[in-house]
Amino acid sequence: MSAQPLDLLGIVFDYIKQYAQVPGAMAAYTDDQIIRGQQNAAILPELTEFCVYTYLRGIRHGTTLEALPDETDTALLEEKVEHLVQVDLYSAEPYTPQENTRERAQALEMISRSGVGARFFESQGAGLSLLFAEDIGLRPGWDDTKNYTACFTTILHIEQNFNVKLTELSFTGLNVRSVPAHDSAGRVNPPGWLQTENVDTDHK
């Protein structure tokens, strides 16, 4: 495992900032308009257009792959994980027409189904790959002023080759010898049983 954990949501932040827009039709989100969800200390901005992105869950595909390099005390484990990150794009009229926010969401969904989106995540390393984004949907609501608020939602599906390197005790040699077996009367009954010894630990 790398010394530092993967900042997946930091990468998603950069992705939203770069691609949740229609160039020429609207400005990119500012940093203050992109908010990480599920944070007790997070405060929604005093703006009529902003975005909240939230990690939902990880789905493992297949089973764990295990590699044991020869003559080492290292085990390499790997699995494929599909991360689901929900992106909610909010707008409140009359300051921000919901058509603007819908097109932001549509652009993000479209790019997330293209080579552009895939290359963005692959360039981050850590075995990341953007699979696709779900179709956008509308979740209307109200803000603190009781004004109607539009919320356009999509979910990003991001694949990662997650791996861990572990150190565990192992051995490089084995002694095997046959030991006669005795019954309760003291008689020897072939073929007996096998005794094994770890060469590394028993014969240093």
Side-chain angles (χ1 to χ4, degrees), residues 63-141:
T63 190
T64 301
L65 301 178
E66 183 173 351
L68 301 171
D70 293 338
E71 298 185 1
T72 69
D73 291 333
T74 301
L76 303 177
L77 308 179
E78 181 176 312
E79 68 177 8
K80 286 190 177 295
V81 181
E82 183 178 347
H83 301 288
L84 274 60
V85 180
Q86 181 169 314
V87 183
D88 299 315
L89 301 91
Y90 292 86
S91 66
E93 296 193 60
Y95 304 105
T96 304
Q98 63 174 283
E99 288 77 15
N100 284 26
T101 307
R102 178 183 58 78
E103 290 199 354
R104 284 190 189 275
Q106 195 68 59
L108 188 67
E109 180 272 337
M110 178 181 66
I111 294 169
S112 299
R113 291 174 176 262
S114 73
V116 174
R119 287 189 291 273
F120 177 91
F121 279 87
E122 289 171 358
S123 69
Q124 307 300 316
L128 288 180
S129 178
L130 179 59
L131 301 178
F132 67 97
E134 296 183 12
D135 295 339
I136 63 171
L138 175 64
R139 296 193 303 112

Side-chain angles (χ1 to χ4, degrees), residues 123-180:
S123 69
Q124 307 300 316
L128 288 180
S129 178
L130 179 59
L131 301 178
F132 67 97
E134 296 183 12
D135 295 339
I136 63 171
L138 175 64
R139 296 193 303 112
W142 292 266
D143 61 17
D144 291 339
T145 64
K146 305 303 181 183
N147 287 326
Y148 174 81
T149 301
C151 175
F152 295 93
T153 297
T154 185
I155 296 177
L156 303 179
H157 292 248
I158 305 165
E159 184 181 72
Q160 179 191 8
N161 291 328
F162 183 73
N163 57 78
V164 175
K165 181 185 294 185
L166 300 175
T167 300
E168 58 179 14
L169 294 177
S170 62
F171 57 86
T172 59
L174 190 69
N175 285 339
V176 180
R177 62 191 178 95
S178 177
V179 179

Side-chain angles (χ1 to χ4, degrees), residues 171 173-177 195-203:
F171 57 86
L174 190 69
N175 285 339
V176 180
R177 62 191 178 95
Q195 178 179 2
T196 62
E197 298 175 313
N198 184 335
V199 175
D200 295 315
T201 59
D202 297 335
H203 298 279

